[in-house]
Amino acid sequence: MVTKGLSERRALAVLCMSASAYRYQPAPDRNVELRERTLALAQRYKRYGVGMIYLKLRQAGVLVNYKRVERLYQQAKLQVRRRKRKKVPVGERQPLLRPDRANQVWSMDFVFDRTADGRVLKALTIVDDATHESVAIEVERAISGHGVVRILERLAVQRGLPEVIRTDNGKEFCGKAMLEWAHNRGVALRLIEPGKPNQNAYVESFNGRLRDECLNEHWFTSLLHARTVIETWRREYNEERPKNALGGLTQEPMPKPWRARIP
């Protein structure tokens, strides 16, 4: 309308538009770098939700509001699709007390998968209940009671043994080899009640993360490939992954007195 001879003020009045709206210049997007970093983290850690992405940003020294990260996360449609879980009846729940120092209680369990040729992978997972550290993940085609003993003997040399080991009622944990070893080493064995995995909740929770973030995300071509990928994930879990139970910290950077006794 200005080109037709009307003044700018008259043209704005005809269009019912304010001068501030007409002269408005959009501000530059200040979220470009943060959006790129959020997207890169979501692509690197495919099963991390917005909470873990925020902790990873904070771990990298990025001072940003959680709601800002959440808004960018939702705008990019990065929400993690939940896998369907089979519903089971809820049994009687009992509190699981958390130990107050490292190497007090370890939990052990087995996780199974397969390589591309259909052969079974059997992984022994060992978790420190106090620090939530993954002590070891041993991957083999088969692991007997004697194999479990050999793994524990190796760990005894590397970092010492716990006072208590909590397991389910699997034959590898209840067999003669394991019972004799525990007696000779002075380690107490605690078996959960049959059909109550909630009594071994720490290692069960860890196994869920292992399957969701590692086993379900990779197609293992061989036993060696599986060992390499799973060990890489275990080290990343211990050294880089923030843990809500530890106030968003990772295992390795914690001060030694704090690691020795968990509040």
Side-chain angles (χ1 to χ4, degrees), residues 1 10 18 26-28 33 40 44 54 62 112 114 130 135 143 148 175 181 185 215 249 260:
M1 290 185 179
R10 293 289 301 276
S18 65
E33 182 179 355
R44 171 67 179 83
Y54 168 73
V62 180
F112 295 87
R114 291 183 181 273
V135 178
I143 303 177
V148 173
W181 174 86
R185 281 293 198 167
L215 302 185
L249 300 177

Side-chain angles (χ1 to χ4, degrees), residues 107-115 119-127 134 136-144 147-148 151 168 172-173 203 206-207 210-211 214-215 220 223 226-231 233-234:
S107 296
M108 299 195 306
D109 198 8
F110 286 108
V111 178
F112 295 87
D113 204 354
R114 291 183 181 273
T115 49
R119 298 180 63 190
V120 173
L121 290 173
K122 188 175 184 179
L124 173 65
T125 57
I126 306 176
V127 175
S134 173
I137 305 178
E138 294 295 324
V139 185
E140 298 286 351
R141 294 295 185 185
I143 303 177
S144 63
V148 173
I151 293 169
D168 59 18
E172 299 88 353
F173 304 135
V203 75
F206 173 80
N207 290 346
L210 170 63
R211 184 166 298 282
C214 182
L215 302 185
F220 301 120
L223 176 61
R227 285 174 174 170
T228 302
V229 171
I230 292 173
E231 178 61 18
W233 180 88
R234 187 190 74 86

Side-chain angles (χ1 to χ4, degrees), residues 69-140:
V69 176
E70 184 180 34
R71 183 175 66 255
L72 297 177
Y73 184 87
Q74 293 175 350
Q75 289 175 354
K77 298 181 179 180
L78 299 175
Q79 291 88 340
V80 178
R81 182 176 61 86
R82 290 190 177 183
R83 295 189 170 104
K84 293 183 179 180
R85 300 181 62 183
K86 182 179 179 182
K87 292 185 179 180
V88 296
V90 179
E92 182 182 355
R93 297 182 182 273
Q94 296 181 355
L96 181 63
L97 300 179
R98 181 182 175 190
D100 58 5
R101 65 181 184 277
N103 271 15
Q104 184 179 4
V105 180
W106 288 0
S107 296
M108 299 195 306
D109 198 8
F110 286 108
V111 178
F112 295 87
D113 204 354
R114 291 183 181 273
T115 49
D117 56 5
R119 298 180 63 190
V120 173
L121 290 173
K122 188 175 184 179
L124 173 65
T125 57
I126 306 176
V127 175
D128 190 304
D129 288 4
T131 64
H132 291 253
E133 177 188 3
S134 173
V135 178
I137 305 178
E138 294 295 324
V139 185
E140 298 286 351

Side-chain angles (χ1 to χ4, degrees), residues 187-233:
V187 176
L189 298 181
R190 295 288 182 268
L191 303 181
I192 65 173
E193 297 179 57
K196 292 190 176 181
N198 60 296
Q199 295 181 359
N200 207 11
Y202 293 119
V203 75
E204 292 288 346
S205 175
F206 173 80
N207 290 346
R209 291 187 175 91
L210 170 63
R211 184 166 298 282
D212 187 45
E213 298 176 10
C214 182
L215 302 185
N216 289 347
E217 293 295 316
H218 294 88
W219 189 59
F220 301 120
T221 57
S222 64
L223 176 61
L224 179 59
H225 181 216
R227 285 174 174 170
T228 302
V229 171
I230 292 173
E231 178 61 18
T232 300
W233 180 88

